[in-house]
């Protein structure tokens, strides 16, 4: 992760704030780092485009473009949008009036005002890369995901593909990297910013260990820069495009686009205070669908988090580890006669004390880790969480169906069945806790600690479910449970 710090809008924002661009960037990049840390988001590197290592990589990349013969100097004019740092064609503009009532042109997409700009710049021969880009995408149909965005880029490649202005006059834009060998020009902010994917992995010397086996995660509003301009620039510099570009949509608020003027901007730090870090993370990842905008409002967060984290998951842990039902505070033993193995759960009519629904639960949870892994790898986290939530509901149904609190512990066969119900329930919870670690790390840690699952027993690769059902030993059976740490997830009140 990191911050893209050059460009005209940064230069103007710093001037308006009465500070230097470097001081503004130092402060704002610090806010982003704080937000990521508070949200429990880990990163291997926080890159800043104002760093010397990045500037060195950009100069080298520019040299590769120049040596490849894809740059030329030419006069360029058009409608420029400073907040977006890009020229926009007439088709993406609308007529409006400004605050003084004067007619002006604005970006259709963002509503930002645009200005007619004419200057001499370096141009990149984007038009020469239509065929290579089309070949790349047709050979790699999953290079851009989800599919609607892949189709969008193919459509752009069928349209007019004008050459791209890749520098700005230095007299107008000083806050950026000068063009090597031409101090009158500044490298275009997007060319500079995109190279951070290379500079952070050691370009130009040691990037080969990573490149091109990389995945970019980007918002849909910057798709053209990442899926059209960036692959073309890479090909021109003698490099392969990234392996995959994963694209996400946006959050609306009660059906409206977030806007400072409307006052409906959601502050993540406020949300983390209201719902807890895990509650807010769970909501965003459970409800966020990459291919379409999703709607945010407080009541939805409260309802979802209370239902799935506090009640379904937290309630299940609380009930299955309560002293009244498990006075020894151990991971109970599994009884094979109570829950005998069947070859095909779809044909199980119920054997021992288990019924057909119980066998469906065992089959569902047994297949869950592979299912969740596939969805995580496929950037469909919401589907993974949907599957987990469904299994949690099934486990609650299993526990409720057999009413272990009604069983008489003094009768040996009843004690065996009670222990088996608890063993199956705790095994299910152990799987859910393991799979939920990337999404709700604190809650998952609390759950697994309560089940006495050690730090070295929490990986996905060695995750086995209900080993005793398959006649294999279970390392948790008979183990003393971890200390009771209170309610797993406190119910949220109405905000």
């Amino acid at each position: 992760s990191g911050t893209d710090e050059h460009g005209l809008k940064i230069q103007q924002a710093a001037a308006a704030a009465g500070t230097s661009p470097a001081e503004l960037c130092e402060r704002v990049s610090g806010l982003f780092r704080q937000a990521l840390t508070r949200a429990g988001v880990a990163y291997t590197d926080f890159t800043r485009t104002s760093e010397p290592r990045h500037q060195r990589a950009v100069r080298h990349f520019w040299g590769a473009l120049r040596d490849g013969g894809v740059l030329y100097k030419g006069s360029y004019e058009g409608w420029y949008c400073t907040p977006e740092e890009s020229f926009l064609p007439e088709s993406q503009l609308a007529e409006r009036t400004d605050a003084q009532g004067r007619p002006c042109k604005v970006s259709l997409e963002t509503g930002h005002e645009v200005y007619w700009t004419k200057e001499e710049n370096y141009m990149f021969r984007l038009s020469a890369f239509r065929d290579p880009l089309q070949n790349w995408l047709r050979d790699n149909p999953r290079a851009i995901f989800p599919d609607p965005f892949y189709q969008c880029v193919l459509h752009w490649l069928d349209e007019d593909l004008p050459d791209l202005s890749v520098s700005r006059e230095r007299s107008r834009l000083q806050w950026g990297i000068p063009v090597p060998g031409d101090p009158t020009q500044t490298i275009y902010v997007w060319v500079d910013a995109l190279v951070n994917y290379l500079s952070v992995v050691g370009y130009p010397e040691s990037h080969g260990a990573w490149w091109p086996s990389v995945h970019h995660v980007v918002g849909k509003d910057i798709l053209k820069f990442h899926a059209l301009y960036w692959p073309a620039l890479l090909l021109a510099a003698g490099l392969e495009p990234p392996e995959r570009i994963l694209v996400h949509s946006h959050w609306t608020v009660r059906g409206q686009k977030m806007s400072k003027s409307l006052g409906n901007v959601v502050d993540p730090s406020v949300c983390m205070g209201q719902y807890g870090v895990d509650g807010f993370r769970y909501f965003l990842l459970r409800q966020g669908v990459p291919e379409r905008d999703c709607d945010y409002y407080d009541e939805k967060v409260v309802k979802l988090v209370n239902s799935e984290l506090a009640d379904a998951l937290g309630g299940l842990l609380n009930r299955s580890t309560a002293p009244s039902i498990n006075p020894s505070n151990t991971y109970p033993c599994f009884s094979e006669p109570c829950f005998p193995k069947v070859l095909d759960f779809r044909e199980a009519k119920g054997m021992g004390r288990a019924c057909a629904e119980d066998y469906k639960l065992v089959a569902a949870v047994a297949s869950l880790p592979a299912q969740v892994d596939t969805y995580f790898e496929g950037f469909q986290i919401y589907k993974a969480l949907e599957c987990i939530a469904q299994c949690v509901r099934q486990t609650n149904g299993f526990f409720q169906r057999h009413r272990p609190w009604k069983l008489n512990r003094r009768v040996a066969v009843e004690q065996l069945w009670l222990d088996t119900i608890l063993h199956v329930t705790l095994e299910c919870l152990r799987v859910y806790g393991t799979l939920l670690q990337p999404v709700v790390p604190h809650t998952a840690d609390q759950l697994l600690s309560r089940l006495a699952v050690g730090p070295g027993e929490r990986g996905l690769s060695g995750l086995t479910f209900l080993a005793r059902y398959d006649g294999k030993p279970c390392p948790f059976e008979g183990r003393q449970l971890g200390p009771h740490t209170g309610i797993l997830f406190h119910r949220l009140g109405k905000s």
Side-chain angles (χ1 to χ4, degrees):
S1 191
T3 43
D4 160 18
E5 300 185 3
H6 290 137
L8 191 58
K9 66 179 174 184
I10 307 289
Q11 183 175 297
Q12 291 177 350
T19 187
S20 70
E23 287 168 336
L24 177 74
C25 292
E26 180 69 30
R27 182 176 65 80
V28 174
S29 69
L31 293 174
F32 274 99
R33 280 198 298 273
Q34 284 172 24
L36 291 173
T37 301
R38 188 174 176 204
V41 177
Y43 46 83
T44 48
D45 199 312
F46 191 96
T47 183
R48 297 178 57 192
T49 59
S50 57
E51 291 174 341
R53 62 169 175 169
H54 173 71
Q55 296 188 29
R56 178 172 162 269
V58 171
R59 288 192 291 269
H60 190 278
F61 190 81
W62 182 275
L65 296 176
R66 182 192 57 221
D67 295 347
V70 294
L71 301 179
Y72 65 94
K73 214 165 188 184
S75 182
Y76 194 86
E77 58 184 312
W79 294 103
Y80 192 73
C81 178
T82 302
E84 296 173 47
E85 296 284 14
S86 66
F87 284 97
L88 299 177
E90 288 280 354
S91 60
Q92 290 177 26
L93 303 177
E95 297 281 351
R96 295 281 189 275
T97 52
D98 64 16
Q100 285 74 42
R102 296 175 302 219
C104 66
K105 286 183 183 286
V106 300
S107 164
L108 265 177
E109 171 73 18
T110 64
H112 293 131
E113 193 170 346
V114 297
Y115 301 92
W116 188 260
T117 302
K118 182 177 182 179
E119 60 185 41
E120 191 176 49
N121 300 146
Y122 283 95
M123 306 294 293
F124 169 63
R125 298 186 194 278
L126 181 63
S127 52
F129 289 87
R130 184 193 306 274
D131 288 347
L133 289 172
Q134 285 177 329
N135 292 337
W136 165 60
L137 288 174
R138 283 174 185 147
D139 290 345
N140 300 277
R142 289 176 61 78
I144 300 166
F145 182 84
D147 187 64
F149 300 116
Y150 172 79
Q151 299 299 335
C152 181
V153 178
L154 283 178
H155 175 69
W156 284 335
L157 285 168
D158 285 334
E159 294 181 333
D160 187 33
L161 208 61
D163 287 352
L164 182 67
S165 169
V166 288
S167 71
R168 299 286 177 267
E169 286 182 355
R170 190 82 184 159
S171 58
R172 206 162 65 86
L173 175 61
Q174 299 85 46
W175 182 240
I177 302 170
V179 167
D182 188 346
T184 68
Q185 296 279 311
T186 300
I187 295 173
Y188 176 39
V189 62
W190 268 106
V191 175
D192 162 359
L194 287 163
V195 175
N196 86 79
Y197 292 114
L198 287 171
S199 60
V200 81
V201 292
Y203 180 83
E205 290 88 17
S206 54
H207 59 286
W210 282 85
W211 205 270
S213 304
V214 292
H215 292 50
H216 297 342
V217 182
V218 304
K220 68 175 187 178
D221 54 320
I222 49 175
L223 178 63
K224 184 169 277 188
F225 297 98
H226 281 81
L228 199 65
Y229 302 156
W230 178 227
L233 288 163
L234 285 164
L235 290 168
L239 293 162
E240 291 293 312
E243 189 175 306
R244 290 194 90 187
I245 299 169
L246 303 165
V247 189
H248 63 78
S249 298
H250 293 166
W251 285 95
T252 57
V253 176
R254 297 188 184 277
Q256 287 186 299
K257 188 171 182 176
M258 280 193 220
S259 151
K260 286 180 184 173
S261 58
L262 288 174
N264 67 345
V265 175
V266 176
D267 183 339
S269 65
V270 171
C271 292
M272 285 186 272
Q274 277 182 312
Y275 313 125
V277 172
D278 278 5
F280 191 48
R281 285 169 64 110
Y282 186 80
F283 172 78
L284 293 176
L285 292 166
R286 174 80 167 89
Q287 294 285 300
V289 179
E291 56 262 40
R292 64 175 182 273
D293 288 352
C294 299
D295 201 36
Y296 175 94
Y297 51 93
D298 294 327
E299 298 89 337
K300 190 194 279 191
V301 185
V302 172
K303 187 177 177 183
L304 177 83
V305 172
N306 280 348
S307 165
E308 296 190 357
L309 284 187
D311 296 345
L313 188 68
L316 185 62
L317 178 67
N318 200 38
R319 292 200 295 166
S320 58
T321 57
S324 59
I325 207 164
N326 186 359
S328 65
N329 196 42
T330 55
Y331 211 101
C333 295
F334 179 87
S335 168
E336 288 163 348
C338 290
F339 209 129
K341 185 175 174 66
V342 297
L343 292 175
D344 189 344
F345 77 92
R346 288 162 297 191
E347 295 172 9
K349 298 292 185 280
M351 297 171 69
R353 299 288 290 265
C355 67
E357 285 297 308
D358 303 339
Y359 285 101
K360 286 181 185 171
L361 168 68
V362 169
V365 181
S367 64
L368 188 63
Q371 207 171 16
V372 166
D373 188 38
T374 300
Y375 283 136
F376 275 2
E377 286 294 325
F379 198 53
Q380 293 176 304
I381 298 167
Y382 72 103
K383 286 191 177 180
L385 296 184
E386 206 172 279
C387 292
I388 295 170
Q390 172 62 29
C391 283
V392 172
R393 283 193 292 273
Q394 280 181 265
T395 314
N396 271 296
F398 164 77
F399 198 83
Q400 192 68 28
R401 186 162 57 243
H402 294 299
R403 300 172 179 263
W405 58 91
K406 294 270 191 184
L407 296 171
N408 187 344
R409 209 179 283 108
R410 289 186 291 275
V411 178
V413 290
E414 297 284 273
Q415 176 71 58
L416 284 175
W417 179 225
L418 170 62
D419 285 350
T420 302
I421 294 167
L422 294 180
H423 183 94
V424 171
T425 304
L426 298 192
E427 278 290 275
C428 290
L429 281 166
R430 183 173 63 82
V431 169
Y432 307 148
T434 303
L435 297 177
L436 285 169
Q437 288 175 108
V439 178
V440 283
H442 307 297
T443 303
D445 174 58
Q446 194 178 331
L447 190 159
L448 293 171
S449 296
R450 180 72 176 107
L451 299 181
V453 181
E457 299 170 317
R458 300 182 178 190
L460 182 64
S461 58
L463 183 59
T464 54
F465 167 66
L466 209 57
R468 292 279 277 109
Y469 176 73
D470 291 312
K472 296 171 185 169
C474 170
F476 303 98
E477 196 172 54
R479 186 183 291 189
Q480 193 73 26
L481 293 181
H484 179 54
T485 52
I487 294 168
L488 183 68
F489 198 93
H490 288 272
R491 283 181 61 80
L492 302 173
K494 289 180 181 174
S495 56

